[in-house]
Amino acid sequence: MLVLDSRTVDSAEVRETVSGFVAERCPWADLNAVRLVVTELLANALHHTDGEWRLRLRARDRRLTLELDDASTDPPRTRQPDFAGGGGFGWRLVEQLADRVDVRPRPVGKTVRAEWWMPAERQAA
């Protein structure tokens, strides 16, 4: 398991570390999709909270699981995209790029969980 925390790494380091983890442990995963999901979830945590977050990445049972905890109790929501720079694209991307996404409330904040399955597992699901 890989655990990264806003107190010890910045966003660029997260993407680099996640890339190495995925390449080593889950070479079947779409690395660009995973990095984009990480980028979007971190951007949301930084934009909609006080900026503190914790990311966990696990590879087991032919599954890659990413969990990001942040301090906001508000769940992500799909918005009408604003092509003038107002956003509305990130959550749609997260939902489209991962095989499964869910949001779980925590006592203080929430956990956004994204999963990717090995291709054979994806077909069975």
Side-chain angles (χ1 to χ4, degrees), residues 1-116:
M1 177 189 288
L2 173 67
V3 179
L4 302 170
D5 187 294
S6 61
R7 290 172 283 170
T8 58
V9 295
D10 64 27
S11 298
E13 290 173 291
V14 170
R15 286 187 294 275
E16 187 175 311
T17 304
V18 165
S19 295
F21 181 92
V22 172
E24 179 182 316
R25 302 263 180 99
C26 302
W28 48 264
D30 181 339
L31 182 56
N32 290 325
V34 175
R35 285 196 315 216
L36 188 51
V37 167
V38 167
T39 299
E40 289 299 331
L41 294 179
L42 285 177
N44 284 342
L46 294 170
H47 182 72
H48 298 290
T49 73
D50 64 4
E52 288 193 25
W53 50 265
R54 172 171 283 153
L55 181 139
R56 291 177 301 284
L57 202 56
R58 248 187 324 262
R60 68 173 184 223
D61 301 329
R62 297 179 286 198
R63 185 170 298 198
L64 174 63
T65 303
L66 180 154
E67 294 177 319
L68 188 111
D69 301 334
D70 68 37
S72 172
T73 57
D74 295 333
R77 60 184 175 85
T78 302
R79 298 184 300 139
Q80 186 66 28
D82 179 352
F83 292 97
F89 299 96
W91 186 242
R92 289 175 195 269
L93 285 172
V94 169
E95 290 181 312
Q96 291 174 0
L97 293 173
D99 292 320
R100 179 179 174 189
V101 179
D102 61 52
V103 181
R104 299 175 181 169
R106 295 183 312 115
V108 178
K110 67 180 172 302
T111 299
V112 178
R113 179 184 192 150
E115 293 181 336
W116 293 266

